Amino acid sequence: LCAFLFSCRRKALPNQAMIDLLKATEKKFNSPENIFLPEAMVKFSDSILNNSPAPEALIAALSNKGNALLQMGEEQKAIDIFQQLLDKMPLSSLEQRQGVLKDMAITYIRLGERINCIQMHNGESCIFPISKGGMHHDKTPSEKAIEIYKTLLADNPGDLESRWLLNIAYMTIGGYL
């Protein structure tokens, strides 16, 4: 009887090969380079923020973290990160500031979409062009995006992407440019 029990304990679990494969796959793909796993980018960015004194590394880490949070649907956290980034960024780096402002503006639009889609979803939601039923009841996020896009266009009137998104933001609140 002892020999039988001892031999049973030594056998591998029937699913051990699959368990090992899943662990190896997780280790391989749990990487900040994996665009489908923004959680890994947040983790990676946090490690840089906690360990790197270089200002350039901190700026890149904050930017990456903000965009990963946006991907995860954590718009308010992303906005807070982008604001922190703007506060740390030197005024002389206009191009970098514009990039962060664009990220922040689109995050505000996404925040407005999420809030209004959850609270006021109807047959006209998510249809373009935006009509009465699809307009946002909570206008604050879109108004903040409009303010940012106006700033971006004041610096660069030829920025067609910002002009287009400004019009979209206006549509969400029933306004126009």
Side-chain angles (χ1 to χ4, degrees):
L1 184 63
C2 275
F4 175 72
L5 290 175
F6 182 70
S7 67
C8 287
R9 287 186 197 162
R10 298 179 86 208
K11 290 184 180 177
L13 295 172
N15 297 325
Q16 191 62 48
M18 180 57 77
I19 292 169
D20 293 342
L21 177 64
L22 289 172
K23 284 182 181 178
T25 302
E26 178 187 17
K27 187 176 183 178
K28 178 180 177 183
F29 292 106
N30 190 6
S31 159
E33 287 85 28
N34 183 350
I35 63 169
F36 300 106
L37 191 63
E39 294 86 353
M41 178 54 77
V42 169
K43 210 177 203 183
F44 178 72
S45 297
D46 283 341
S47 70
I48 291 172
L49 292 169
N50 292 330
N51 297 309
S52 178
E56 302 83 24
L58 296 176
I59 288 171
L62 283 170
S63 179
N64 289 335
K65 183 176 181 178
N67 283 300
L69 288 167
L70 176 59
Q71 254 187 300
M72 293 167 53
E74 299 282 349
E75 290 91 359
Q76 189 57 57
K77 289 180 182 177
I79 288 167
D80 295 341
I81 293 289
F82 292 136
Q83 187 59 56
Q84 182 182 356
L85 184 54
L86 287 171
D87 293 342
K88 289 181 184 249
M89 192 173 287
L91 293 173
S92 60
S93 58
L94 180 63
E95 189 174 322
Q96 276 187 320
R97 289 185 71 75
Q98 285 181 332
V100 174
L101 285 171
K102 284 183 178 191
D103 289 341
M104 183 181 269
I106 200 71
T107 304
Y108 272 119
I109 289 176
R110 290 271 306 272
L111 177 63
E113 281 295 305
R114 180 180 301 280
I115 290 169
N116 287 283
C117 190
I118 290 170
Q119 293 177 356
M120 306 300 294
H121 191 76
N122 61 61
E124 293 180 323
S125 297
C126 307
I127 296 176
F128 188 79
I130 300 166
S131 61
K132 291 186 183 199
M135 288 181 203
H136 294 181
H137 292 276
D138 181 355
K139 298 178 183 336
T140 305
S142 290
E143 289 169 345
K144 290 187 182 266
I146 288 168
E147 181 182 315
I148 294 169
Y149 283 125
K150 283 182 174 181
T151 300
L152 286 164
L153 288 167
D155 290 338
N156 182 5
D159 182 355
L160 298 179
E161 176 185 343
S162 293
R163 184 173 303 277
W164 170 258
L165 291 169
L166 174 63
N167 282 311
I168 299 295
Y170 267 118
M171 275 191 231
T172 65
I173 62 170
Y176 59 90
L177 179 62

